[in-house]
Amino acid sequence: MRTKPYVLLLSTLLVLLGLAPGAQAAENGEWAVYPAASKLGGRPYFYLSADPGSTLTDRVTVANKTAAPLTFRLYGADAYNTDRDGGFAVRTQREKQTGAGAWIKPERTRITVPARSAVTVPYTLTVPADADPGDHPGALVALDERIAPGAKGSVAVGVQRAVGARVYLRVNGPTVPALAVEDLALDQDRPLVPGTRTSSALVSYTLHNLGNVTLNPKVVLKARGLFGRTLLDRDLVGVPAELLPRQKIRLTERWTGSPQLDWGDVTLTATAKDVQESGTVSFLALPWLAAAVLVTGGAAGLYGLRIRRRRAPVETPGEA
């Protein structure tokens, strides 16, 4: 009997870090992680501020919603924007933590939560004396110790799931919001014969948070054709709600119905926290068939001009 190789994915399969509907907790239906209730009531996330060199204390609650006990690894993690859509995600336990994830120390790193119960664990967050001022987002993560079966196949895959409560930490000091629009590009898709189908264009761009605070960018895409005609004026909706410090993401926007015959510019403007940056790229929309005719006609014209010059008689000095 042959046994299947077993692979454990040490990275989390799913990390839920947003608010669940009607509840102030990050959860996946089986367990939830959230700030312990304070005198001021429930908190959706940890909002903390500290001076360099100081230590904060707080508490995190892990709630088990299943009918059996669950055991978790509890750890701090740095946050980042995902490449896929710029969503809020956190580092796995095995990845190196350099910010809030390295500074968070739970009182217990392994907890067992009884069925339909909750356990609250104190933790400390110690900010290094040389920490850079600004935002250092992270999370307190509860990683399920169970290994769930993955997709069937020749290689058996096991996955571990995790849920984390966001930590928004600001280290006191100068804050510098800065944003850049980089590598704006336009890729056009036009029919060979004008009018036979709808043309489109794919606008690609990079948003780069160059500052030390989290930004909530708003992006507007505009296109102008010949004589300044407005071809497109759109507020983009696929922009992440939060662009974390020192993070950059590559995004795209489809422009359906782009011109098949025009010449102009596409401008993308990003605005966030009193900063505004733009990028512009020019375009020439010319049907491929028309372009081929123009190129062929131009080449034929140049060739004919050269032939005429060769055949033209050459005058000799002194001839009448």
Side-chain angles (χ1 to χ4, degrees):
M1 178 178 176
R2 298 180 62 185
T3 59
K4 294 180 180 180
Y6 192 80
V7 178
L8 171 63
L9 297 184
L10 293 173
S11 60
T12 58
L13 172 67
L14 179 62
V15 178
L16 298 179
L17 294 163
L19 285 177
Q24 292 186 334
E27 62 172 293
N28 65 357
E30 294 185 26
W31 71 94
V33 185
Y34 51 91
S38 65
K39 295 180 180 179
L40 300 177
R43 297 171 289 169
Y45 309 124
F46 291 101
Y47 295 99
L48 308 172
S49 62
D51 294 324
S54 63
T55 297
L56 304 176
T57 59
D58 209 323
R59 299 182 303 156
V60 63
T61 297
V62 181
N64 178 5
K65 299 188 172 187
T66 70
L70 294 178
T71 300
F72 302 97
R73 292 287 179 180
L74 198 59
Y75 70 95
D78 295 336
Y80 65 97
N81 289 105
T82 62
D83 292 332
R84 181 174 61 88
D85 59 4
F88 188 106
V90 298
R91 306 293 177 193
T92 64
Q93 189 176 19
R94 286 203 165 190
E95 291 181 278
K96 183 179 180 181
Q97 316 291 344
T98 60
W103 308 339
I104 294 172
K105 302 297 180 185
E107 189 176 89
R108 288 187 288 162
T109 58
R110 186 176 185 270
I111 59 171
T112 297
V113 184
R116 297 188 175 90
S117 300
V119 172
T120 296
V121 179
Y123 72 91
T124 59
L125 192 157
T126 301
V127 181
D130 60 351
D132 293 331
D135 293 339
H136 296 266
L140 264 160
V141 181
L143 174 68
D144 188 1
E145 286 197 336
R146 297 174 299 174
I147 300 173
K152 295 181 180 179
S154 59
V155 177
V157 178
V159 296
Q160 287 183 288
R161 295 183 298 161
V163 173
R166 299 188 190 190
V167 176
Y168 289 99
L169 169 67
R170 172 161 293 186
V171 176
N172 296 328
T175 56
V176 182
L179 181 65
V181 175
E182 301 172 346
D183 303 324
L184 178 62
L186 183 72
D187 184 16
Q188 301 181 72
D189 180 18
R190 301 184 304 276
L192 180 63
V193 179
T196 56
R197 65 175 175 85
T198 301
S199 60
S200 68
L202 186 66
V203 180
S204 305
Y205 63 98
T206 297
L207 288 183
H208 192 180
N209 186 346
L210 300 169
N212 63 355
V213 292
T214 299
L215 299 176
N216 310 110
K218 306 297 181 184
V219 179
V220 177
L221 181 64
K222 295 183 179 181
R224 299 287 185 266
L226 282 171
F227 312 114
R229 293 179 302 110
T230 299
L231 304 176
L232 180 68
D233 192 341
R234 178 188 302 172
D235 293 332
L236 304 191
V237 297
V239 180
E242 298 174 311
L243 185 57
L244 305 180
R246 297 166 293 278
Q247 295 287 301
K248 61 181 178 179
I249 53 174
R250 188 73 177 166
L251 300 170
T252 59
E253 179 73 12
R254 174 67 62 180
W255 177 14
T256 302
S258 58
Q260 298 185 12
L261 180 61
D262 214 326
W263 184 15
D265 299 304
V266 170
T267 300
L268 187 139
T269 302
T271 305
K273 204 176 180 66
D274 301 325
V275 296
Q276 185 178 87
E277 292 295 332
S278 297
T280 299
V281 61
S282 298
F283 70 89
L284 174 62
L286 187 64
W288 298 117
L289 185 59
V293 170
L294 287 176
V295 171
T296 303
L302 289 175
Y303 180 76
L305 182 61
R306 292 181 61 184
I307 295 297
R308 289 182 60 188
R309 286 181 176 177
R310 288 180 179 177
R311 292 179 176 178
V314 179
E315 292 187 0
T316 303
E319 290 183 356

